[in-house]
């Protein structure tokens, strides 16, 4: 289904019909989800093009420098849009809060029925982005990065799993669900390449290792 709530409202019936006919609702791993990252072959090419550089300092970093969650449409902010997109049979109230539904967390394979059990993970964490080049961005650029619904940068996952990831890169943390690691690495490289962020040597090696097995 559409990642943009306003568009979603207008095509919900058609989208549901399309999803049903294409089998998208037959398995939790095939539900509506974040935008599909580039293929592994493309990700390997992108990775080779990224600048390898030691991570910068976290000095001056604050999550407030990456304004989120911003309003996307009506009463719906980015978090609510992602919850609607990534869930199954999600019902929202007049404030756009998800009051019911089911969510499958790709990182750990858990299924949740309360939105409060989900965090919206930034694939490339905000602090990691700061250390990889975003410290020199404008606030507007950082806001776009933190609310990016077009690239595979936002995904609804189990809250404590997101918290255990923190701001670690793939040399330090990968999803416990090994079946998702290829998608994770493709998404990570996709985002870093699009935003022209750097990678450190350990991060690049970890990504190469995952992508070579895709």
């Amino acid at each position: 289904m559409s990642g943009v709530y306003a568009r979603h409202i207008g095509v919900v019936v058609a989208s549901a019909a399309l999803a049903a006919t294409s089998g998208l609702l037959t398995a939790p791993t095939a539900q509506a989800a974040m935008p599909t990252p580039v293929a592994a072959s493309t990700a390997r090419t992108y990775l080779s093009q990224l600048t390898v550089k030691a991570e910068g300092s976290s000095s001056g970093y604050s999550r407030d420098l990456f304004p989120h969650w911003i309003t996307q449409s009506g009463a719906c902010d980015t978090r609510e849009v992602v919850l609607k997109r990534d869930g199954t049979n999600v019902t929202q109230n007049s404030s756009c809060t998800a009051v019911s539904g089911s969510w499958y967390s790709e990182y750990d394979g858990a299924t949740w029925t309360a939105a409060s059990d989900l965090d919206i993970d930034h694939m490339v964490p905000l602090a990691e982005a700061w250390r990889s080049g975003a410290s020199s961005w404008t606030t507007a650029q950082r806001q776009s990065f933190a609310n990016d619904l077009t690239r595979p940068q936002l995904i609804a996952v189990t809250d404590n799993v997101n918290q255990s990831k923190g701001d670690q890169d793939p040399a330090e943390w990968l999803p416990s669900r090994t079946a998702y690691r290829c998608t994770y690495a493709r998404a990570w490289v996709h985002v870093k390449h699009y935003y022209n962020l750097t990678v450190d040597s350990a991060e690049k090696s970890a990504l190469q290792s995952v992508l070579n097995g895709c």
Side-chain angles (χ1 to χ4, degrees), residues 136-154:
S136 65
W137 293 354
T138 65
T139 300
Q141 288 173 313
R142 289 192 286 264
Q143 176 176 294
S144 294
F145 176 83
N147 297 274
D148 190 349
L149 295 167
T150 305
R151 263 64 54 180
Q153 165 65 348
L154 300 174

Side-chain angles (χ1 to χ4, degrees), residues 18-35:
L18 175 62
T21 56
S22 60
L24 291 177
L25 303 181
T26 59
T29 53
Q31 68 188 25
M34 71 176 186

Side-chain angles (χ1 to χ4, degrees), residues 108-188:
D108 57 334
T111 297
W112 303 98
T113 55
S116 58
D117 289 319
L118 284 299
D119 275 356
I120 307 304
D121 179 43
H122 289 96
M123 177 62 62
V124 176
L126 304 182
E128 162 68 23
W130 177 269
R131 298 189 297 264
S132 304
S135 59
S136 65
W137 293 354
T138 65
T139 300
Q141 288 173 313
R142 289 192 286 264
Q143 176 176 294
S144 294
F145 176 83
N147 297 274
D148 190 349
L149 295 167
T150 305
R151 263 64 54 180
Q153 165 65 348
L154 300 174
I155 184 172
V157 296
T158 303
D159 54 4
N160 62 351
V161 172
N162 179 51
Q163 291 152 25
S164 72
K165 171 184 172 179
D167 63 355
Q168 298 178 93
D169 69 34
E172 304 157 321
W173 189 93
L174 286 168
S176 61
R177 183 169 163 260
T178 55
Y180 197 69
R181 289 183 178 179
C182 180
T183 302
Y184 187 85
R186 288 160 48 209
W188 183 283

Side-chain angles (χ1 to χ4, degrees), residues 194-208:
Y194 180 83
Y195 286 99
N196 196 30
L197 295 169
T198 62
V199 289
D200 63 48
S201 56
E203 176 187 355
K204 182 175 182 178
S205 294
L207 288 163
Q208 284 178 323

Side-chain angles (χ1 to χ4, degrees), residues 7-8 50 72 91 99 105 136 155 169 184 195 202:
R7 187 187 312 141
H8 174 84
L50 293 178
Q72 293 290 342
T91 300
V99 293
S105 172
S136 65
I155 184 172
D169 69 34
Y184 187 85
Y195 286 99

